[in-house]
Amino acid sequence: MGKPLSRERRNTLLGLAFLSPNILGFLAFTVIPLVFSFFLAFTNWDLKLHNAFKNEPIQFAFLSNFLRLLRDGEFYQYLGNTLFLMMNIPLAIAGSLGAALLLSKDMRGGSPRVRHWLIVSAALLLSVAALCLVGLHAGAFVILLSGLAGLMLFGGVLGGSTLYRTVFFIPHFTSGVAVFILWKKLYNPSNGPVNNALARPLLALGRAINATPPGVIRAGLAVSLALAVALALWGLTRLLRMSRDGALGTAAAALPLAMLLAPCVAMALCCPHRPVGRVVGLLTLAVALGLIIAECLRGRDFPARPSQGFGDAFMLALLLMLAQLILLGLGSVAYGLPEQAADGLEPPAWLSVYDWAKPAIMIMGLWGAIGSNNMLLYLAGLSNIPAELYEAADIDGASRFQRFWHITWPQLAPVTFFIFIMSVIGGLQGGFEMARTMTNGGPAGSTTTLSYFIYTQGFSTGRLGYASGIAWVLFAMVFTVTLFNWKFGSRYVND
Amino acid sequence: MKYLFATILAVLVAASLFTRSLNPAVRSSVPILYWVTDSNPAREVQVSTFQRWLQKHDYPRFDLRLDMVNVASDKIVIQGVSGVCADIIGHCGGANMTYRQAVGILEDVTERALELGFDPSQTYEAMGPEITIDGRQYAFPCNVYVHLLWVSRDTFTQYGLPCPSRRWTFEEFEDLGKRFCAAANRPDEPRRHFLVPYLSTQQMHRSLGLSQYNETLTACILDDPRMVRVLELYYKWTYEDHILPTLAERDSFATESGYGGSTIQLFNSGNYALFPCGRYGLIQLRTFQKNRREKGMPRLDLDVVEFPHGGFPNAATGTRAAAVYKGGNHRDLAVYFLAYLASEDYNMNIVRDADALPPNPKYTLTQAYLRPLAMLPDLTAYFPYGKEELRRNVAEFAPEFYTVTDTVDRDQPIAAADLPAPPCPLRMDQPAYRRALAEFRREYDELMADCRTEWGCHEMFSERAQDIAIPYSTSPFILNTEASRIINKATEEFLSDRCSAPEAVRAMQEGVNAEIAQNLREDPKKQPLYDRLCVAQARLDALRAQGRKVPLDLIQNPFHRRYYQVMGWAE
């Protein structure tokens, strides 16, 4: 007879026994494949050559998969696509925050605000009825949307913000593939509701543009360039001030400065009015260089470690870079508008044309992201802001915007930072389902993301080793973002 | 809590055992084999005919079931290497067969094919590269397709235009296309009517004497002025003349309803005057005839023409074939299915249901093929047969009926009343049966009239399969999916105004050749074959440079084999 097990030991074993299905599943479907794929990334494993029906030995390929990846032009194109699609992250965050702010208010009851909502609802419902009576065929989508909006407003008045929260959260728990197929139908160039709704306004806009002197419209480019330059210089002065105050180290400033000034290079190279773009871009770069040299000669007021303040500077530069790029894009659109509108403006063919396929997917992503977990996180964050802060602000006579800017936004900083990091990670890993369901990665590879590239390399060509290599490079990117979070996250949000 | 967990565990184990007991293989007394194939209503009939064929020839009994959900190419490969693929693998085109053979999941059936009578001599000569590799057989055709253009004569007549001739040039195509689109579309509205939904660029460049690969399949040679011309023509026809729809317009039309997709529906509605497809388009076109009749519309008046050419008429051909899975437990039984595909029972089935061409060309010479009467309609729509009665009728009445319809003299008037009558159901009295029979015969007369609109079309497919049809060229040094992806991407970049036609063709050639080089690095065992073929290519080039004829056995590319013979360049 062996010694009976102690109660503690027995409980441990029993607990492990109950946990074993989960542990086994985790090992079988997560840990082992993960380790296996790491091993694969350093081999020449090719499904055509190495499988149960073939006797070819698998060879250790050292770093050849990674070296090949660095030489593969398609990898950079698809990485570019992935990063491009991630440009809607700031908009998605702003949308989530906006939604959360709206949904944090209780709209039920008989307050004056509710009465306003009721009036708007009634007006919408009446307009829907009027549109139905007029029988606008192409406006069917507008009718549908107006009707839905009216219903939601009315329902919200009755059911309160719970109804809105549920409605906003619907995209998140709806099956991805079903949503993508639905959006594909919405984007149908001729019969899709989106283009049906856009056709008439664009026709009117085209007429208005044609009636306006082209120079006035094209001046939009000058305005956008000016704003972009202003943003770049403002950002630069902020970074230099941080450096002077000892909040930004020399090494930490390099990348943010490069990111901040990168749009000026883009301006010089890609501006639709090449001479103006070149002059403005180069001039801005020269001024920026001058300011940086002057600051270097002047020296710091306070000392700083070389890596000091990288997180703050990086976030600032990233946001400003995105804003500048968006401005440049809008300016380019304005510059080309008179020519495009010459024969009337038509809605885009969305997923079928190279230039619109990515924006179409971004719009869809934005729709899904606004009412996602991000909104719930913001709602939770909003509920955690102490009411005394708002009371104090009210006593001080703060306006609504001041309340938001000086209390809500800083208090939500940890949530925003977390959402941003998670969105970047999700963005780097995402795009597979959309590409597979909606576009097959086309046209001309414009919607192929890294995750879809991994799939095609792994399963269409059978190169499992190479596909694993790409997957681990993607992991390295995600890991870098996570490291960034770990290193700078707490500091950034506590500032 | 622990008792709760233990109970759940017990319930799960019991549920697993119950699920296992539902597995057909556990419950069946005979082996069950699976055939992974495309979703097509004709497959059920083909399987039931197979069971009768097995019985007739006293072959081993086994059950064959359809798997229509795992047909995607990558699924088959992944399942294949994982040891869980269907016993019989269906695939479209030689490129799929080449890939799967390269992966090693296809059984070599060369010896069994000779023994059971389904060797390559039992099918079209052009199918050689589609079912064999290096002289070894891995598949047999379920059917053979030749892509031509279906014509709705009424659509042209409606606009006072002549139908295209059966063989026509690029210039004639462009001229008719412009006239058709001008007549069929209103100038102030977006275009809704086009001559044809798309053309095959591969067929186009082949008609100019250019193949995707060189004669020995060792290199892509698309960086050629002829390919530039093809791309520029395609662009012109799409964006300038607008006789082909743009990708966006095709997407707009994509209703994705019904077997065969939206294109054929739009051909029926007159939005496309021509419809690129094989004979199998009739599966859907026949249902359209019935629908039109029921709606009081005139029947489609059908004809078939070749694709336009630039000097060398050709047509793309291929096969939907079946192969035996190497990892299956019943490989010895699965080969009987391939033998069945070569049988008269199966071939006549294909002849009647118009699922492309029958694998064996001799059946295309029959009256049943050239001037079909009609398939038997669903008998249960007229006669309330019980399950067993229906099974017996399918087994006994249908063959008897088809024996008559396959051989009856087409030059004499044929009425359903002269054909065998379906037997009276057990639970139907005589007056009701007579009424049902009259109804059945009236419908069958209409179906025969529907089929008469096809007379004259069928020989176009069988004859072109024998004279101008050439399988797609695939290189053993690159996966066809990868080559197609590279070529399509470059084509799309050109059509999206991202690059010029010369840049696009350069990208195609460089991309494909780089992939070939990569594959050779990854699989050095292919290098000796590649080197041998490169030597042959050099010899061939030298002979051509001297203006001398080339021995045919130097040429691997099926296109060049035909082209050299037609041009008189081959010994």
Side-chain angles (χ1 to χ4, degrees), chain A residues 14 18 48-49 51 53-54 56 68 74 77 188-191 349 352 354-355 443-444 455 459 461 463, chain B residues 2 5 74 78 80 99 102-104 248 251-252 479 482 485 489 492-493 498 515 518-519 522-523 525:
Chain A
L14 203 62
F18 282 131
K48 300 188 292 294
L49 305 172
N51 62 59
F53 302 99
K54 296 272 185 170
E56 296 289 327
R68 188 183 152 202
E74 288 194 328
Q77 185 193 351
N188 187 302
S190 295
N191 313 317
S352 310
Y354 190 94
D355 292 328
Y455 172 80
F459 297 116
T461 67
R463 289 187 178 120
Chain B
K2 62 189 175 191
F5 278 129
D74 43 6
I78 298 300
Y99 181 28
V103 172
D251 282 354
S252 305
L479 289 179
E482 192 56 9
R485 190 188 66 76
K489 189 173 171 227
E492 284 177 2
E493 279 180 355
R498 314 272 316 162
E515 186 67 18
Q518 177 68 27
N519 283 330
E522 288 172 353
D523 188 6
K525 282 191 173 170

Side-chain angles (χ1 to χ4, degrees), chain A residues 173-246:
Chain A
F173 60 72
T174 311
S175 157
V177 173
V179 168
F180 300 144
I181 290 172
L182 182 73
W183 272 91
K184 201 174 168 184
K185 299 287 176 199
L186 291 175
Y187 277 139
N188 187 302
S190 295
N191 313 317
V194 174
N195 277 8
N196 274 345
L198 285 176
R200 281 166 190 270
L202 282 177
L203 196 67
L205 181 65
R207 285 188 191 132
I209 289 169
N210 285 331
T212 313
V216 175
I217 310 285
R218 288 195 172 129
L221 176 64
V223 173
S224 72
L225 287 181
L227 285 173
V229 168
L231 278 180
L233 293 178
W234 179 77
L236 186 65
T237 50
R238 280 293 301 263
L239 290 182
L240 294 179
R241 197 183 308 148
M242 282 167 71
S243 168
R244 196 184 308 156
D245 296 344

